[in-house]
């Protein structure tokens, strides 16, 4: 259990986190979702005792991250945002080094990393700097897990990794969760949010919402439609002109639109678009996902 | 302890995998010592000299002939009075003036001893030193020859006067000086760079989050350089002794202990630099400009401290190499014991403790 109470952190003139409080349950995958500069990394560095908070208190499994930082460091596995292993050492040397730093051996906790390590084992004599992105990430994860941490903190582990490796990575996280590890993961990819047990949406150092992905989607307040037309640029432009539209943004291959009032007539919208000269118009009711929710929450925040 | 050992092993792997580091650690010291060494040992041929012969007898003529036939000297001119000495040096026409006293042969016969004065242009200290050595040697050989023939022994006293740089400060300076520079280079520069490298690559973050104690991180980073610096000290001393025939008159163990002390000092300086700099470049700049340059210019390695303007002279007090060079010179060349160099040693110990205390104060256990 990780409890965060009234945490604030400021870098010179920039407020990175403003008075946030929440808790993370044992044995869950907790996602921090937000754009770059939202404060995700700052939070992770506070949790891993790398930074001191200006205000407030974080307790990781009962240990204060400021006064008991040594104990916290023993129970936490941390994988920083960029590849932070020794590029001039081989895969095996890196693993052995981190194992001995944590007073353990590869063999001792092999069952924990076996799944991941098996995939990079064929390259164990290659220097880490010459591995591919996905391989580096697996090695970094192995190194972070080598001491069987109770809490695993991953800062944007999937940034810059291909889609297949990303999927594999999330499957690994699911397996690690089964072994009883609490996982805190940050990502700028909204589609990964639905893979977490709970997510916190962060923006400008503040938490907009914390809930399960399902609940966040369920609580989406608006009526959402997906529109398609031949000329998408013109379509977005025209939709924004429409008197009743509230938000218009490109989403995948179509355009997602919300309205100022929820009983908007779709036919009326279609006629409006035809009159503006759009062709091949296709309008469907869309299921909102995390990204829609995030956009809406950000918008609400801005309007306040 | 196992943690610590594997950290040191990792550090050695870094060093041995990086060719550039290896060159800096082993190539530069050897190259530097050889360059300085051979630059100082260059043979001098046909050096122009002037002779002021106030006696003009058979013996002085014989000595003059010996000198000129040696191949090292070429007679520029005979001087008539001692007033001309200053003049001919000023004109830069000669490197050395040899003065035979009045009644040279007579005194030698009557009292068994006579005086020769050797005056050298010491603005080029190395040349002056070598010329003086040659001259003294030739005179000495001559006296030996005579002594074998004569019933009673005679003595020719040669007094040496160095014009312009009376202390001959840079003679034999190259070994203590280069040693100081190399130790600063390897210990301070390399450690500060290797520690900041961890910061720059982000591995410091991972190390700090681990249960590894920050002291262990630093000691682990520093120990390999302690070992390598020590190997360098031994090889420099070896080169100086076997290749250049530099004497080690004092106690070898005292000398090595003083070198170790200076290595500790440089390492603590390196740690201090690494704690205040965020990137490798910054560490390198601070080490190069803030450390190497003053160490070379203000330590007495290149310019004698005594000849410095007052301000620079006082600044040189703060330069660790200045004291180290003095210690090494005293032990190697003068054969002094600890009782002669304890003050300098205490200064170095004080500086080391100061730098260590500063680094501990500045070291961050967090980002």
């Amino acid at each position: 259990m990780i409890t965060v109470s009234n945490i604030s952190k400021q870098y010179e003139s920039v407020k990175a986190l403003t008075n946030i409080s929440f808790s993370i349950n044992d044995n869950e995958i907790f996602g921090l979702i937000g754009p770059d500069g939202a404060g995700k990394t700052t939070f992770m560095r506070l949790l891993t005792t790398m930074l001191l908070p200006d205000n407030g208190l974080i307790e990781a499994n009962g240990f204060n991250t400021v006064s008991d930082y040594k104990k916290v460091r023993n129970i936490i596995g941390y994988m920083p945002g960029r590849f932070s292993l020794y590029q001039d050492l081989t895969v095996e040397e890196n693993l052995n080094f981190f194992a001995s730093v944590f007073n353990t051996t590869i063999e001792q906790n092999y069952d924990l990393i076996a799944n991941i390590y098996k995939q990079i084992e064929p390259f164990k004599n290659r220097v880490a700097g010459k591995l591919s992105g996905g391989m580096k990430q697996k090695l970094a994860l192995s190194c972070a897990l080598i001491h069987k941490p109770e809490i695993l903190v991953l800062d944007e582990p999937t940034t810059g990794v291909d889609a297949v490796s990303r999927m594999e990575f999330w499957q690994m996280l699911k397996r690690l969760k089964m072994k009883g590890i609490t996982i805190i993961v940050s990502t700028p990819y909204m589609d990964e949010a639905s893979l977490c047990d709970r997510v916190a949406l962060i923006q400008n150092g503040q938490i907009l919402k914390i809930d399960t992905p399902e609940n966040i989607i369920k609580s989406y307040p608006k009526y959402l439609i997906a529109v398609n037309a031949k000329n998408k640029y013109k379509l977005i432009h025209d939709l924004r002109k429409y008197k009743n539209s509230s938000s218009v943004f490109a989403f995948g291959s179509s355009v997602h639109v919300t309205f100022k009032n929820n009983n908007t007539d779709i036919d009326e919208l279609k006629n409006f678009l035809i009159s503006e000269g759009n062709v091949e118009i296709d309008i469907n009711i869309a299921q909102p996902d995390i990204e829609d929710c995030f956009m809406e929450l950000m918008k609400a925040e801005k309007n306040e | 302890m196992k943690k610590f050992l594997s950290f040191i092993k990792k550090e050695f792997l870094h060093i041995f995998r990086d060719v550039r580091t290896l060159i800096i650690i082993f190539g530069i010291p050897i190259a530097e010592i050889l360059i300085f060494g051979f630059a100082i040992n260059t043979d001098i041929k046909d050096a122009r000299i002037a002779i002021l012969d106030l006696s003009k007898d058979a013996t002085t003529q014989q000595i003059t002939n010996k000198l000129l036939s040696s191949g090292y000297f070429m007679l520029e001119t005979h001087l008539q009075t001692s007033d001309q000495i200053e003049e001919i040096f000023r004109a830069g026409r000669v490197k050395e003036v040899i003065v035979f006293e009045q009644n040279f042969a007579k005194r030698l016969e009557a009292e068994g001893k006579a005086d020769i004065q050797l005056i050298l242009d010491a603005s080029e200290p190395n040349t002056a030193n070598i010329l003086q050595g040659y001259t003294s040697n030739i005179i000495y050989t001559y006296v030996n020859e005579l002594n074998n023939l004569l019933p009673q022994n005679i003595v020719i006293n040669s007094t040496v006067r160095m014009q312009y740089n009376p202390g001959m400060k840079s003679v034999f300076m190259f070994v203590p000086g280069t040693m100081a520079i190399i130790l600063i280079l390897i210990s301070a520069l390399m450690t500060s760079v290797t520690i900041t490298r961890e910061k720059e690559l982000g591995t410091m973050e991972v190390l700090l989050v681990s249960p590894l104690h920050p002291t262990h991180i630093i000691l682990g980073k520093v120990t390999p350089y302690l070992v390598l610096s020590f190997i360098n000290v031994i090889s420099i001393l070896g080169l100086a002794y076997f290749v250049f025939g530099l004497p080690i008159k004092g106690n070898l163990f005292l000398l090595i202990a003083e070198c170790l002390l200076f290595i500790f000092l440089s390492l603590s300086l390196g740690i201090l630099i690494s704690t205040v700099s965020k990137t490798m470049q910054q560490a390198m700049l601070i080490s190069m400009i803030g450390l190497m340059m003053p160490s070379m210019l203000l330590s007495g390695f290149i310019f004698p401290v005594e000849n410095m303007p007052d301000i620079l002279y006082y600044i040189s007090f703060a330069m660790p190499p200045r004291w180290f060079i003095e210690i090494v010179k005293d032990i190697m060349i003068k054969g002094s014991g600890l009782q002669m160099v304890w003050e300098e040693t205490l200064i170095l110990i004080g500086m080391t403790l100061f730098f260590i205390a500063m680094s501990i104060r500045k070291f961050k256990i967090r980002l």
Side-chain angles (χ1 to χ4, degrees), chain A residues 42-56:
Chain A
T42 303
F43 171 72
M44 294 193 153
R45 286 186 170 163
L46 288 168
L47 173 60
T48 54
T49 76
M50 303 295 298
L51 288 178
L52 291 173
D54 297 338
N55 252 321

Side-chain angles (χ1 to χ4, degrees), chain A residues 50 73 82 86 88 93 100, chain B residues 6 14 17 198 365 367:
Chain A
M50 303 295 298
R73 286 175 184 191
R82 57 197 168 133
Y86 298 102
D88 54 342
E93 283 163 351
S100 64
Chain B
S6 64
H14 285 318
R17 294 241 164 107
E198 301 253 2
I365 51 163
L367 266 188

Side-chain angles (χ1 to χ4, degrees), chain B residues 58 177 195 247 250 297 306:
Chain B
I195 294 175
L297 300 178
E306 287 81 356

